[in-house]
Amino acid sequence: MKYMMTYDLMESARNTNEWLGATARAMASYPAFGLSMNPMIKLTAAWGEVTERTFARMVDKPDWGIRSIPGPEGQDHLVDVKKVVERPFGNLIHFFVRRRAPMKRKVLLIAPMSGHYATLVRSTVTSLLPDCDVYVTDWHNAREIPVSAGKFDVEDYTLYLTDFMRELGPDTHVIAVCQPVPLALAATAYLAAEDPDAQPRSLTLIGGPVDPDAAATEVTDFGRRVTMGQLEQTAIQRVGYMYPGAGRLVYPGLLQLQSFISMNAERHGKAFQEQILRVARGQASDHDAHNRFYDEYLAVMDMPAEFYLSTVERIFKNREIAKNEFTIKGKKVDIGAITRVAVKTVEGTNDDISAPGQCIAALALCTGLPDSKKASHLEPDAGHYGIFAGKSWRLNIRPLVLAFIDANSGDTPADSEKTVAKKVANTNAQVAS
């Protein structure tokens, strides 16, 4: 019960700060103050505006905001977001482009479940849409999921991925970003053993912790310092009464946000100080660079406690993926079972979340895959965000990923056999007629 009270206390603090910001903005904007030359009046109104917006965004799920894309004929094509598979903890969604024939490239973009919504990869989706049919994993905020829906840990997450891959079929090219990288690798290996015909054509792994011990970061250091008991006591709470998931154990989004900001507290503090001054001078706008970034960065979601704790214990502490010891329902998932899915890793030299070496470890685990189907890329001077959504992605990495997809879009051996069988059947039918 005390954890539900703690959860509600955090929400009350957030709500209070939002109210204080709204009050300061409203009071400092009172018409009578128009006669005053005191600069503090404008600064107070600016502080209130920035504070209200900041704390309000923490509980709002951002909209995808992808309305249309330009077509090769010079016309715009409207984009609809359609649910392909609906599940309690996450959906598979399709960015359906109206009046466009199915594209040769079909991409499943696996978004992280690491505190932010799937809209974190909005710019990645936008950049891929003109050239691909894009599907995305849209994970749900755990506080909106009733306790009756059950648990959700790393094994459940991996099985969700296998179901999504089965739904899309073997012509799919998978791109996993950050947190889901090791589990996307495990899901592909699971299909290789259990349902080979459902395997994707290629798997691109971008900045993920396949082997966290390959290169130390603040994230991996934290994983080594804290015990599971300490983590459960300090990070896990029960959802408060005002949400459908009341009573569910979660790692709260607000607590995660506190950790995110503390890693670069000085930089974030300076960014907000400068924004307050810009608002006071009338130089800010609703969609300026600061608001575009922080509207997304501050929008956080609760993670199921089982998922968070099992990720820390099994992926970071026990290194089950790195040691090729990961199991699902007691059965080992052998990464070496991947023999025909092309695998590419992408890392950034300045990535302080998943440092170079952590992701490329996936290639060494694919012992059954020929070198001709392995590839890697290390992007110079690129940070974590840049390798999937920033300048590095737009200018260098995206073209490389599309080229890798095209190079591995041919028939697999199983597909070739089916094609031959189909041709033989057609020939026999023609002879019979």
Side-chain angles (χ1 to χ4, degrees), residues 78-98:
L78 295 179
V79 178
D80 299 320
V81 180
K82 296 186 175 182
K83 297 177 183 177
V84 179
V85 179
E86 294 187 61
R87 293 290 178 82
F89 290 89
N91 298 336
L92 175 64
I93 59 176
H94 178 209
F95 288 83
F96 177 75
V97 180
R98 298 187 196 177

Side-chain angles (χ1 to χ4, degrees), residues 128-148:
L128 291 172
L129 267 179
D131 303 298
C132 312
D133 275 335
V134 181
Y135 297 78
V136 179
T137 56
D138 188 19
W139 306 110
H140 298 162
N141 192 333
R143 73 181 179 203
E144 304 295 335
I145 306 170
V147 175
S148 59

Side-chain angles (χ1 to χ4, degrees), residues 25 28 41-51 275-277 279-280:
R25 178 185 57 79
I41 300 297
K42 283 190 174 182
L43 280 174
T44 300
W47 176 87
E49 180 179 328
V50 173
T51 300
Q275 180 69 0
I276 291 171
L277 293 175
V279 172

Side-chain angles (χ1 to χ4, degrees), residues 145-157:
I145 306 170
V147 175
S148 59
K151 70 171 183 67
F152 188 77
D153 60 15
V154 288
E155 292 186 19
D156 299 308
Y157 185 104

Side-chain angles (χ1 to χ4, degrees), residues 105 107 109 123-124 127-128 131-132 174-178 181 202-208 344-351 354 356 359 375-406:
R105 304 184 184 107
V107 171
L109 180 62
S123 58
T124 316
S127 70
L128 291 172
D131 303 298
C132 312
V174 176
I175 301 175
V177 175
C178 187
V181 161
S202 70
L203 179 63
T204 301
L205 307 175
I206 301 179
K344 181 183 182 71
T345 62
V346 177
E347 298 177 318
T349 57
N350 296 340
D351 191 339
S354 183
C359 191
S376 64
H377 175 70
L378 180 63
E379 181 69 15
D381 303 320
H384 187 70
Y385 187 79
I387 57 178
F388 68 89
K391 179 181 178 181
S392 295
W393 164 262
R394 295 192 303 271
L395 298 183
N396 300 327
I397 299 172
R398 175 185 174 276
L400 292 175
V401 171
L402 292 181
F404 179 73
I405 287 173
D406 291 341

Side-chain angles (χ1 to χ4, degrees), residues 317-334:
K317 285 185 172 294
N318 298 343
R319 299 173 56 240
E320 290 185 19
I321 299 291
K323 296 177 180 178
N324 197 19
E325 297 175 353
F326 187 70
T327 60
I328 294 180
K329 296 181 179 179
K331 185 174 182 179
K332 181 181 176 181
V333 178
D334 183 14

